[in-house]
Amino acid sequence: MTGRLIELDPVNAAGARERLAAAGLSGLEVVEADAGVTAPYAGAVPAGVVLMCGVFGNISDEDIRRTIHALPELAEPGARVIWTRHRGTPDATPRIRDWFAEAGFREVAFDAPAGLTIGVGVHELVAPPRPLTEQRLFTFVVHG
């Protein structure tokens, strides 16, 4: 198994490295870099699984759409993207699901458990993947 976690915060990156080592997991690397730009993904893509968990609730709708439309640059044919987003008002998950369809993905699953304000989606790349280009995908929004 191989994988790359891209984390800008040095404390979080160090914690991730420690937890990977403690769990005895090899083949997984932590890169201290801005996940909102594509450069740190070079050498780790195309990937069979792309995790976008904890991202879509912390970036603008414009950045969510831009990121989804760029995901075919990170994914191999048939890859799965697993994503999360809160369903607080306004609930953006219906638009997010539409943006995945626009970007060439087929919805595999979407779970929004009753009584919880979280949604989890899984989409499969059905469009042709694209080569990685240098671009900014998103910028995290600082919540007060």
Side-chain angles (χ1 to χ4, degrees):
M1 165 176 50
T2 62
R4 180 177 292 172
L5 168 67
I6 302 169
E7 172 57 56
L8 184 59
D9 182 274
V11 173
N12 289 344
R17 285 186 194 98
E18 290 169 10
R19 285 172 184 80
L20 287 172
L25 297 173
S26 61
L28 301 173
E29 66 177 325
V30 179
V31 174
E32 193 175 312
D34 183 356
V37 295
T38 55
Y41 298 94
V45 296
V49 177
V50 177
L51 300 176
M52 295 300 297
C53 301
V55 176
F56 292 164
N58 295 293
I59 63 177
S60 70
D61 284 358
E62 180 181 319
D63 282 359
I64 295 171
R65 187 171 190 210
R66 179 181 19 265
T67 299
I68 291 169
H69 280 266
L71 287 173
E73 296 185 20
L74 304 180
E76 66 186 27
R80 301 281 172 104
V81 176
I82 302 169
W83 60 274
T84 60
R85 166 66 190 226
H86 67 80
R87 293 183 299 119
T89 304
D91 183 357
T93 61
R95 284 191 316 278
I96 291 170
R97 295 164 74 189
D98 289 343
W99 293 333
F100 269 100
E102 287 175 4
F105 290 85
R106 176 184 69 82
E107 186 169 274
V108 175
F110 180 74
D111 191 18
L116 298 178
T117 59
I118 187 75
V120 179
V122 180
H123 283 77
E124 176 182 28
L125 181 62
V126 293
R130 298 188 312 261
L132 186 65
T133 60
E134 284 196 33
Q135 62 179 301
R136 171 154 291 283
L137 303 172
F138 58 83
T139 301
F140 275 105
V141 177
V142 178
H143 298 284

